[in-house]
Structures are given as structure tokens and as C-alpha cells.
Amino acid sequence: METISENKCFGGVQGVYRHPSKATGCDMTFGLFLPAEAALHPVPLLWYLSGLTCTHENAMSKAGLQAHAAAHGLAVVFPDTSPRGEGVADDPAYDLGQGAGFYVNATQTPWAPHFQMWDYITDELPRVLFANFALEEDRQAITGHSMGGHGALTMAMRLPGRFASVSAFAPIANPTASDWGRKQLGAYLGADESTWGVHDATLLMQNGGFDGDILIDQGTSDQFLDLLRPETLAQAMAATRQPGSFRMQNGYDHSYFFVSTFAGEHVAFHAEALAR
């Protein structure tokens, strides 16, 4: 593993690291914030999954999570959103290919050789993190924005017991019924829609939900509301009596101004769950 940078940050360290990935068949880069407590003992870990077009750097620089995480003694990892580099398939559209991995394991040509983001995030990167940094494997939480909110919710519901809590900012809530989802799931997983449902938070909620608390924030002025379909997930949470909160925030859009506004509340939500 290569250290790209390490900077003092709110008493801790904000690092950026690169490592060869067997899952994606290329080098992968991630950011990791470690609070001051990590110099003394392992600390809980909050995962932040980013959205379309993002790298590890967007949320690391714009979401303001480090100050809140430092106050609660939490580490935060910022993975990349897709494989990258020479020989990695791409598409001219912003919502497919590099920067748009959708947190699935692709089975279709030309994506399958590298776009194994589910395995990378749920298996390989955790092994790298817990082998190299002072982190508590049994105290994890997960959050994400947009495409990353989709990833966070699906991982939390499909991996019971791993995450104490899950939250999301403007998640892609029902991708099997949205143009933000049908295009990508079809490209990565093929035309058989029966394979898509395990990557749809609304369907997973209808079929069991999450074994903990959920917090979701969605802006009412989000320019992508029709693609996100938040009402479907809210209805599924109500129908299954899922513990948690789905909040429509008046006037907020899809940007990192929205994410940073509520980042502190999300970190506090996860800190409370991790403390339990």
C-alpha cells in the first residue's frame, strides 16, 4: 500500500492511500480520516460512499465530515466510486463506466473484468483497512450520497449485523424503476431483471429492511427527484414499520452544500448507534 498524502486534520490525520486490488484488477485509491484517539487505540469506522462522477476526494474535501467525526472519535473512510486507469472500460456518459460503478459486481462485457465494486467495498477494502489501521472491525456504520446512498442502503440491508446504523443523503432509492438505475443495472448485470432487485433499496426494504436505525435526508428542491424516487423508499419504510427517520428538507438541492449542512447530524446519529 502506498501513502499518497497524510495531513494533520482536527487533531487527527487525513490520509490518502493507493493499493493494488484483486477485486477490480487495478490500483484503487481511498481517503481515510483517523481521529486523535486512533494513535492510542482502535476506533469505530464510518463508511462514506460517494455519488456519480465522484472520486475519493469529493466528500473528503467538501462534506465537512472530519470535524464532526473528530468530536466523536470516529474514523471515516472515503472509497473511490469505480475502478480507473488504462485498460478499464469507460463510457462517454457521466452515469456509466469510470466514476459510476453503482456498487455492483458486473457480469457483462466490457465491464466484468474490473467493475467488481460490491466485492471491493464489502470484502477487499475492509481487509486492507483492518490490517493496516487502528480500526474496530465490530463497530462500523455506513452512509452515502446519491449513488453512494444507494450503495450504503443496499449493503446495510444485505449484510445484517455488520453495520450498527445506516444513513443516506438523497439516495437513488428505487433504481429498478428509474432511469438512474435501469440503464446501469442493465449494462452491468444484463437484461435479466430478476438479478437487479438485490441492488434496490426500496425492494430490499419491502423484503425485510434493516436490523437497526436508518436516517435519510432528501432535499425538496433536488433537481434529480424524479430519478431518485424517494417516495417509494419512504412508503416502504412506513409499510414495514422500519425504525428510523425519512426527512424532506425544504429548499435543499442535490449538492454538497446540502450534504455538509446535515453531515453533523448524520455523524452524531452514527456515533450514538456505535456507542450502543
Side-chain angles (χ1 to χ4, degrees), residues 102-104 118 149-160 166 172-176 185 194-211 214 232-233 235-237 239-242:
F102 262 76
Y103 304 103
V104 303
W118 179 273
H150 137 80
L153 289 166
T154 57
M155 289 177 187
M157 285 188 272
R158 288 180 58 192
L159 299 169
V166 59
I172 300 175
N174 188 201
T176 62
L185 295 176
S194 68
T195 65
W196 299 3
V198 291
H199 296 290
D200 188 305
T202 294
L203 299 182
L204 291 171
M205 183 61 65
Q206 292 171 348
N207 290 314
F210 176 60
D211 57 349
I214 292 179
T232 61
L233 181 56
Q235 291 163 3
M237 289 177 64
T240 57
R241 301 179 182 180
Q242 169 69 48

Side-chain angles (χ1 to χ4, degrees), residues 229-254:
R229 294 177 55 82
E231 67 281 357
T232 61
L233 181 56
Q235 291 163 3
M237 289 177 64
T240 57
R241 301 179 182 180
Q242 169 69 48
S245 300
F246 195 114
R247 311 188 304 191
M248 297 298 296
Q249 302 290 1
N250 190 38
Y252 285 91
D253 60 15
H254 200 71

